[in-house]
Each structure stands twice: as C-alpha cells, then as structure tokens.
C-alpha cells in the first residue's frame, strides 16, 4: 500500500509539472499557418520562412492537398512578412519547387537558408530514390540566389537533412551516412554530424558522438552563444525533444523535456528566439512557444546565469 501511495504521489507531481509546462505553450499565430515540418525566423524578426503542404482546392469545406504518385505529399517553401506578431503577404520562395522542399533554416546572419529536398543532385538525373539531401541558398540584397547542392554534407544513397549553421560557419546536420551508429535493427541510424567551415568550404563531417545513440537523433538547434543544444530523439515508436546545456566548457548529459501527453511525432522544429528567452516548436502543424525558463530546472538556470557572467 505504501508503495502504491508513493507511486501515485510521484505520478501526480510529475504529471502536474508536465501539465504546467504544456499549459504554458501558446499558439504563436493561431490557426493562420499549418506548418509541415519546419519554420525559421529571420534575425531581424521581420520574416518567417515555412515548409507547408500545397492545397489544390477544397472539398466539403476541407483542403485537398496536392500529392504525387504513390501518395507522397507535395511540400514546398514559403515566406511571410511579420509585423506586430502577425503574418501577412504569403508567397512561395523564388527558388522553391514541389520536389519535397522542407525544413528551412536561416543562419544567424540571415544571408543563408538551408533546407531539405528530394530534387536531383547535380550528379544524378533523378531524385536519389527516397533519400533527402541538404541544399543552401544565399541572399544578396533582397534576392535569393539559386540553391546549391552541398556535396560535403551529402552522401548519395543516404539521408542528410536538418542543417543548422553556427556563428563560426560550421554546420550541424543529421545523416545515416557510413560512420553512424547502428540502430537496434542493425541498420545505420540517423546521427548528428558537424562540418567545419574553412577556407570558404565545408569540410569532411565529423560525428557528434557525445549526443548520438543507437536511436535516431534529428532536428538539432544550438543557440548562438553555444550554451544550449536542443534536438529530437526517436525511440520506442516515439520522438521526443531533448535539451543539454554547457557547463565549464562541456555539455551536460541531455535530458528529455516534456511537452505533450502523446508521442512526440507531432512535435517538430525545436528552436529558440534570437535573445534565447523563448522556446519555439511546431506542434500538430501549429507554431507554438513558451518561455524557455519554464522548461529549465533551477540548476540549469543557475549554470546559464553563471556562464553568462
């Protein structure tokens, strides 16, 4: 009986804590935007970049989404203007197509945008089967140049995706390329990789071993002070968000942050605001946010304040 009571107390406290965090989640733009696996804000906060499904009309009041043979859904990249917390003037990005372009991610300077695509690599005449690769477009003035296939980050016959460029130009991304850890089924799992930027070129990627496991890691985000690292990990038919902070120059063991009752496959694109105070994600196709302090422990808050000083 004592054991049961203890279990119920612990369960109630844990549920209450998680519930409190979930209550803090706020819909950023209401139902105006339905994200499909990715969004990114410009550094000045005046633009929002998204990946969304393509509607070809409505039937019985509901959207009919464009699909390809085999049922694969068409997803592409869009740009919005932002003002006073509202979005307007939606337009398809100039270089975007319907080759499953998704997960746009701007660098901290706002002059490069990385995204995932199934468009054919330069050395191929057709998409690389079902595999996705990383592309990058650079901005000159108000114009985005044609996207470039980043050969150093991609390996034909393997996935490469979810790229984020850091302040020094290095890129963190995900791949199941050779050198990744084998998963429970023996196949190579999706791992975190880092490619340095030197002499105007991306270098041979290095496995980010500390954060990788036999499960699949994906959707990394590191704040520009490089003290907070967020990513997702897939295991046991669920996908959950993990967070780690840097203490005395070393990353602490990542811990799961609880955002919903259900499996985290509806939770995508975790990231922070430019000032590092707000945590964003897309939940069930809707952009949500919550003050980061509501997700951090008291110990983590103290470490970050100490590091900041």
């Amino acid at each position: 009986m004592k054991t049961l009571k203890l279990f119920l107390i612990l369960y109630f406290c844990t549920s209450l804590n998680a519930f409190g965090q979930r209550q803090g989640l706020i819909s950023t733009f209401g139902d105006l935007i339905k994200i499909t696996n990715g969004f990114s804000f410009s550094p000045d906060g005046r633009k929002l970049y998204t990946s969304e499904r393509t509607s070809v009309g409505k039937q019985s009041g509901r959207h009919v989404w464009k699909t390809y043979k085999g049922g694969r859904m068409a997803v592409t990249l869009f740009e919005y203007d932002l003002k006073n917390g509202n979005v307007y003037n939606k337009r398809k990005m100039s270089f975007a197509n319907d080759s499953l372009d998704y997960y746009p991610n701007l660098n901290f300077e706002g002059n490069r945008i990385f995204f995932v695509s199934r468009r054919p690599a330069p050395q191929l005449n057709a998409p690389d089967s079902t595999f996705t690769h990383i592309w990058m477009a650079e901005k000159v003035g108000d114009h985005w140049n044609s996207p470039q296939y980043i050969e150093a980050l991609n390996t034909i016959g393997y996935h490469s995706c979810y790229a984020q460029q850091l302040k020094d130009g290095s890129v963190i991304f995900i791949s199941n390329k050779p050198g990744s850890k084998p998963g429970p089924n023996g196949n190579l799992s999706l791992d975190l990789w880092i490619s340095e930027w030197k002499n105007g070129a991306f270098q041979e990627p290095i496995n980010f071993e500390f954060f990788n496991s036999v499960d699949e890691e994906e959707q990394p985000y590191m704040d520009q002070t490089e003290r907070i690292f967020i990513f997702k990990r897939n295991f046991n038919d669920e996908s959950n968000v993990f967070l780690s902070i840097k203490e005395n120059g070393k990353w602490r063991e990542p811990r799961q942050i609880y955002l919903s009752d259900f499996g985290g496959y509806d939770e995508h694109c975790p990231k922070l605001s430019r000032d590092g105070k707000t945590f964003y994600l897309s939940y069930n196709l809707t952009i949500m946010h919550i003050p980061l302090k509501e997700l951090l422990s008291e110990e983590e808050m103290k470490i970050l304040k100490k590091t900041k000083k």
Side-chain angles (χ1 to χ4, degrees), residues 105-109 111-115 134-138 147-154 160 162-173 177 193-206:
N105 212 351
L106 267 71
N107 62 356
F108 293 119
E109 291 71 35
N111 59 356
R112 285 180 171 178
I113 188 168
F114 295 78
F115 64 98
I134 297 168
W135 292 69
M136 177 190 75
E138 295 188 284
Q148 310 166 38
Y149 177 84
I150 310 179
E151 189 169 353
L153 307 185
N154 297 310
S160 289
Y162 305 135
Q164 183 207 5
Q165 188 166 41
L166 306 182
K167 292 290 286 184
D168 65 359
S170 301
V171 166
I172 299 178
F173 67 102
K177 67 193 296 289
W193 292 79
I194 301 178
S195 173
E196 293 186 337
W197 175 258
K198 289 183 179 179
N199 302 319
F202 293 108
Q203 305 301 302
E204 182 67 23
I206 299 172

Side-chain angles (χ1 to χ4, degrees), residues 113-141:
I113 188 168
F114 295 78
F115 64 98
V116 185
S117 184
R118 285 196 69 250
R119 61 180 73 195
Q123 61 268 51
L124 301 177
N125 294 321
D128 185 15
S129 184
T130 60
F131 298 107
T132 53
H133 296 296
I134 297 168
W135 292 69
M136 177 190 75
E138 295 188 284
K139 194 173 189 179
V140 179

Side-chain angles (χ1 to χ4, degrees), residues 257-306:
I257 53 178
Y258 294 89
L259 298 165
S260 65
D261 278 333
F262 308 104
Y265 280 111
D266 281 336
E267 300 169 0
H268 294 286
C269 203
K271 60 183 58 202
L272 300 178
S273 59
R274 188 172 179 82
D275 61 10
K277 295 181 179 180
T278 306
F279 174 90
Y280 286 93
L281 81 159
S282 64
Y283 178 72
N284 195 24
L285 306 182
T286 302
I287 297 178
M288 309 288 287
H289 66 273
I290 184 173
L292 177 64
K293 63 183 181 180
E294 293 190 29
L295 302 179
L296 296 174
S297 67
E298 290 185 8
E299 182 184 11
E300 289 168 337
M301 291 286 287
K302 288 179 180 177
I303 292 171
L304 291 174
K305 288 180 180 179
K306 181 180 179 181

